[in-house]
Amino acid sequence: MATPNATIQFNPADILRYLDCGDFIVMQKETGGMDTQIWKVMIDEGYAALRVFRPEQAEQFRFEIQAMNLASAAGIPVPGVLRSGMFRSHPCMVLEWIDGKTLSDACDSPEAMSHLGRAAGRLHRRLHEDTMRQDGTSLLHLDYHPLNILVDFHGIAAVIDWTNSSWGDPRRDVARTVSLLLCTPLLDRSDKDFARMTRRFTREYLTGYGEAKGLKPFIQAETDWLIQELDHHIGQNGLIEPPQARRLIARWKSFNL
C-alpha cells in the first residue's frame, strides 16, 4: 500500500539547491495536490511551482514531462518545465508559475460560462486531433476539468496537472471529463446552484468539443473508475463517503448521454 503523500516531509530549500536553482525564495506551500506536494517559489527565472512526487510515481513523472512537451508542441498552453530530477528517490520538477484563476472561478456569469466552456471544449479537441497517432490513439489528459484549467484576461492561460495523462481513445478523455463534471455535484446535493452551473458548463464544453459519437460505453467505464477513486480516497486520504454516492454514480452510469 502506498504511503499517503501527506506523510512525506521535505525541506523545499534542500530540493531547490539540489536542482541548482540558484538564488531562490520559498514563498508558501500550496493547498491541493492530492498526489504531489507543491510549493510556490521564486527562482532566477521568476515565480515557479516546485512539485515533489512519491518514489513509486517515477514512471508517471517521466511521462508527465513528456506529455506536457507533446501538448505544448500541439499548441496547448502548459507550464514550462524549468528543472527536473530525483531527490532522495523522489521525482521533483520545477514548473513555470502561471498567473490566473481557475476556469471554475472565472465562470462568474452565464456569458463567461458559455464562452469559456466552449473554449475549453475546442482546446480539448485540438489536443486530441494534433497528437493523434497512426493507430488512432491520442494524448489524453484524463483530469480535464475547470479546476485544472487556468484563465487570464486573454482566455485560457494553461492546462495543468498532467499526472494522469496517457495514450488512448479520445472518447475516454471526453467521457472522463463529462463524468467528473456531472457526478461531482451529484455527490453533494446541498448546492443546487453549483449542480445547475456544472450541467450548463458541460453542455457548453460538449458544444465546443464537437461531435463525439459512441461515448456511452466510455462513460460507463469511467463511472467504474469513479468508484475506484472513491474507494482509494476513503482508504488512503481519509475522505468521508458522501451519502448515497455509489447509488448516484450507478444511476449516472445507467442514464447518461
Side-chain angles (χ1 to χ4, degrees):
M1 181 179 293
T3 303
N5 190 55
T7 64
I8 302 171
Q9 298 296 328
F10 284 122
N11 182 344
D14 292 339
I15 303 172
L16 293 171
R17 280 190 286 268
Y18 176 79
L19 294 177
D20 195 21
C21 289
D23 293 330
F24 59 82
I25 301 173
V26 178
M27 310 292 290
Q28 63 194 42
K29 188 169 184 179
E30 294 295 309
T31 57
M34 187 71 74
D35 293 318
T36 59
Q37 292 195 80
I38 304 172
W39 287 268
K40 183 178 183 179
V41 300
M42 179 178 281
I43 61 175
D44 290 342
E45 290 90 339
Y47 290 115
L50 168 64
R51 294 181 64 201
V52 182
F53 296 70
R54 299 189 304 271
E56 64 270 22
Q57 294 174 298
E59 184 175 350
Q60 171 186 318
F61 160 81
R62 287 189 288 270
F63 189 81
E64 183 169 352
I65 293 176
Q66 179 186 359
M68 286 192 289
N69 288 335
L70 288 168
S72 179
I76 308 301
V78 299
V81 180
L82 305 176
R83 306 279 196 287
S84 64
M86 302 288 288
F87 180 79
R88 298 177 187 170
S89 301
H90 288 264
C92 308
M93 65 170 72
V94 179
L95 298 169
E96 173 190 11
W97 186 268
I98 305 296
D99 286 322
K101 56 174 121 178
T102 66
L103 191 150
S104 180
D105 288 337
C107 287
D108 52 5
S109 70
E111 294 76 15
M113 186 176 301
S114 177
H115 171 70
L116 292 172
R118 293 186 185 204
R122 290 192 297 269
L123 190 65
H124 206 187
R125 188 171 196 102
R126 189 202 306 172
L127 169 68
H128 295 153
E129 288 183 343
D130 290 356
T131 62
M132 185 168 286
R133 304 188 293 188
Q134 290 185 344
D135 63 0
T137 60
S138 298
L139 180 63
L140 313 182
H141 185 276
L142 293 178
D143 206 13
Y144 191 86
H145 58 72
L147 294 178
N148 283 335
I149 302 172
L150 301 182
V151 175
D152 61 19
F153 58 89
H154 294 297
I156 294 178
V159 180
I160 62 173
D161 195 356
W162 293 78
T163 301
N164 295 331
S165 56
S166 180
W167 293 102
D169 190 310
R171 291 173 293 181
R172 181 187 174 200
D173 213 4
V174 176
R176 180 164 296 188
T177 292
V178 171
S179 296
L180 285 169
L181 286 168
L182 295 182
C183 281
T184 300
L186 278 178
L187 302 183
D188 179 6
R189 294 175 135 187
S190 62
D191 192 340
K192 294 183 179 180
D193 289 339
F194 175 65
R196 281 194 294 270
M197 179 194 76
T198 305
R199 287 195 298 271
R200 175 167 181 173
F201 180 87
T202 305
R203 290 194 297 270
E204 300 292 354
Y205 159 80
L206 287 170
T207 298
Y209 188 89
E211 188 175 28
K213 292 182 178 179
L215 273 182
K216 186 162 186 172
F218 290 90
I219 289 178
Q220 290 175 335
E222 290 310 308
T223 55
D224 292 335
W225 171 82
L226 283 172
I227 291 292
Q228 294 173 10
E229 284 292 286
L230 187 62
D231 290 338
H232 170 78
H233 292 308
I234 289 170
Q236 294 200 24
N237 298 318
L239 176 72
I240 298 174
E241 182 167 336
Q244 303 182 11
R246 295 171 199 278
R247 185 181 68 81
L248 291 168
I249 293 174
R251 182 181 177 189
W252 164 240
K253 183 175 182 176
S254 299
F255 297 103
N256 56 59
L257 302 173

